[in-house]
Amino acid sequence: QVQLVESGGGLVQPGGSLRLSCAASGIRFSIARMGWYRQAPGKERELVARITSGTSDYADSVKGRFTISRDNAKNTVYLQMNSLKPEDTAVYYCRLQVVLSVYWGQGTQVTVSS
């Protein structure tokens, strides 16, 4: 059974930083395409960043501020978020895809507010 467990969310002031983690189990993590998505109240879920074995890409709104990375030895994907803005406030979800199978984490709340 595939499980994704996110952690690292919280309340941070504008300009601050957070690092999200997503630990996967029950699947061959090294071949999985991993991504972070977010959903703000009243909005659709949107892609933030994704990473395969060798490449990563980002939403325009987070380029230069967020960095996605993975540690295959720990079956974990990370999202380093710097220079956070109030508009980054959302529930952040980890997504794992292997071939046509897609799995989601439970989400972690990130709130950027003074």
Side-chain angles (χ1 to χ4, degrees):
Q1 182 179 358
V2 177
Q3 283 193 316
L4 300 174
V5 179
E6 297 127 335
S7 60
L11 174 64
V12 63
Q13 292 187 342
S17 298
L18 284 174
R19 189 177 82 153
L20 305 183
S21 300
C22 173
S25 61
I27 199 163
R28 191 176 168 192
F29 181 80
S30 61
I31 64 171
R33 172 177 290 187
M34 301 300 301
W36 287 98
Y37 287 69
R38 66 187 181 187
Q39 187 166 19
K43 294 188 177 181
E44 293 187 354
R45 192 172 296 188
E46 63 176 1
L47 172 67
V48 176
R50 57 190 173 193
I51 186 169
T52 58
S53 59
T55 62
S56 58
D57 59 278
Y58 300 88
D60 288 342
S61 59
V62 307
K63 282 181 181 176
R65 301 188 297 121
F66 291 10
T67 303
I68 190 171
S69 62
R70 65 192 296 163
D71 185 337
N72 289 341
K74 295 183 178 180
N75 286 4
T76 300
V77 63
Y78 304 97
L79 185 68
Q80 178 67 43
M81 304 185 295
N82 299 328
S83 302
L84 283 161
K85 305 175 181 180
E87 51 263 43
D88 295 317
T89 295
V91 178
Y92 284 69
Y93 296 91
C94 175
R95 180 185 186 271
L96 181 152
Q97 181 176 352
V98 176
V99 192
L100 298 179
S101 297
V102 175
Y103 305 89
W104 292 91
Q106 81 284 357
T108 185
Q109 177 70 46
V110 172
T111 302
V112 185
S113 175
S114 56

